[in-house]
Amino acid sequence: SSSDAASSFEVATCGCFVSHSWSESQYNSQRKPRVIFELFVLQPFLSTSLSLFPLLAAVLLALSFALEAALRSDAVWVLPVVPIAALACLLLWLLFSSLRCLPHRLSLSTRSSKSLWLDSVSVDYHGDKTARQRIAGFKAALHTSESFLALVSPTYVRRLWPVFELAVAAKTKPHDLLLISLEWPSVFSPWLSAQVTDAERSWFADFTCRDAQTFAPKDRIAVCEAIRHAFGTEAAFDLFVREELPAVLRRSKLQYARRVRAAFRDALASVLGA
């Protein structure tokens, strides 16, 4: 809405461009903010906290043994308890934030420094801008974004505009692109698999931009013009979607399945100064 667009703010460089489809089921619509929270708030918070504080407690425990022998005082055993107590408080903060039991200004999500470009907030669709102007705005936002996240679903791949966004990102930012299905389980789920299913393989198999859906005919005209400018012809775009995006899906699912382990490894390396 106009009020949502007005609540956004300008940045020189955006942390992540988030691509999604507006027309989703109720479940997938509710999954979007949860996935974003897990990726940009929950996962970094847990990986850093669970790496730093136990290590600090272990160091202070060893120090307490030395101090106890020198000072002959039981008070030194408070030292290793402090980081564990701090970790417990942080985990409670995380729990209450996840359950939305705290005011928004006190929530953990407000402490994230990651800036996101999200069209439902960053674009005023009720204003006077034409579809061509919005496409120009998309290209500018993508150019200034450090990474690209696509929240995909069967609905997403049937719509022309989000598939165009994903294809342009795959062409221009192949190493900074992550595709996540809203139907995948949580990144912390023990049932998360890195294998692409037959249904997921079929998403892009028969894609044609002429059959893809748009909100209005004028949007189709503008997007098809942008497709021809970026890919040469609509047929070349269709071929790119069918051949390149399944590979993006495979890489992304593997990366998603290993994301938590990689985050803990990187956090521990950072804590140890490696």
Side-chain angles (χ1 to χ4, degrees):
S1 68
S2 300
S3 59
D4 288 334
S7 67
S8 62
F9 56 92
E10 293 187 9
V11 292
T13 302
C14 180
C16 183
F17 185 109
V18 181
S19 174
H20 69 109
S21 171
W22 283 42
S23 303
E24 291 285 0
S25 65
Q26 182 178 1
Y27 172 80
N28 283 350
S29 296
Q30 293 172 346
R31 275 284 292 158
K32 291 178 189 178
R34 173 55 55 179
V35 170
I36 292 173
F37 179 77
E38 286 184 357
L39 289 182
F40 299 118
V41 180
L42 184 57
Q43 181 186 306
F45 179 84
L46 283 178
S47 59
T48 301
S49 300
L50 295 180
S51 299
L52 174 61
F53 287 95
L55 181 62
L56 183 58
V59 171
L60 291 178
L61 179 62
L63 180 61
S64 296
F65 276 108
L67 291 176
E68 196 274 337
L71 301 177
R72 305 294 181 180
S73 172
D74 293 336
V76 296
W77 297 108
V78 174
L79 290 176
V81 176
V82 172
I84 298 302
L87 176 60
C89 292
L90 289 174
L91 292 178
L92 285 174
W93 184 26
L94 170 61
L95 175 63
F96 291 145
S97 297
S98 300
L99 296 176
R100 298 183 178 180
C101 297
L102 297 174
H104 178 69
R105 61 185 178 83
L106 299 178
S107 174
L108 179 62
S109 60
T110 62
R111 301 301 186 269
S112 175
S113 60
K114 193 82 169 181
S115 58
L116 305 178
W117 194 98
L118 190 63
D119 61 353
S120 57
V121 174
S122 304
V123 176
D124 182 6
Y125 283 94
H126 296 275
D128 297 328
K129 286 187 177 180
T130 65
R132 291 183 180 85
Q133 288 175 313
R134 294 190 182 106
I135 290 174
F138 151 69
K139 293 179 179 178
L142 181 63
H143 178 72
T144 58
S145 296
E146 297 172 354
S147 60
F148 183 96
L149 170 65
L151 302 178
V152 303
S153 66
T155 300
Y156 181 104
V157 300
R158 289 196 296 266
R159 303 202 65 84
L160 183 58
W161 194 299
V163 173
F164 168 68
E165 291 178 344
L166 177 56
V168 172
K171 184 178 180 181
T172 60
K173 292 180 177 288
H175 303 297
D176 302 307
L177 167 64
L178 180 63
L179 185 157
I180 296 178
S181 171
L182 294 171
E183 299 179 351
W184 292 347
S186 166
V187 70
F188 298 100
S189 172
W191 295 279
L192 180 60
S193 172
Q195 298 297 318
V196 177
T197 65
D198 291 338
E200 291 167 350
R201 292 189 187 95
S202 69
W203 282 354
F204 303 107
D206 301 318
F207 178 88
T208 61
C209 60
R210 287 297 175 179
D211 293 334
Q213 302 170 1
T214 58
F215 283 110
K218 61 181 180 180
D219 290 343
R220 178 180 300 279
I221 294 172
V223 176
C224 285
E225 285 180 357
I227 285 172
R228 290 190 291 271
H229 182 267
F231 294 87
T233 64
E234 294 175 16
F237 174 76
D238 292 344
L239 186 63
F240 183 91
V241 171
R242 294 171 191 163
E243 293 187 349
E244 298 298 328
L245 295 191
V248 173
L249 175 63
R250 289 192 297 271
R251 291 195 302 269
S252 293
K253 195 165 189 180
L254 181 62
Q255 181 183 348
Y256 184 73
R258 297 177 176 177
R259 191 175 179 89
V260 171
R261 182 174 59 185
F264 274 96
R265 183 188 63 237
D266 293 344
L268 188 58
S270 178
V271 168
L272 295 176

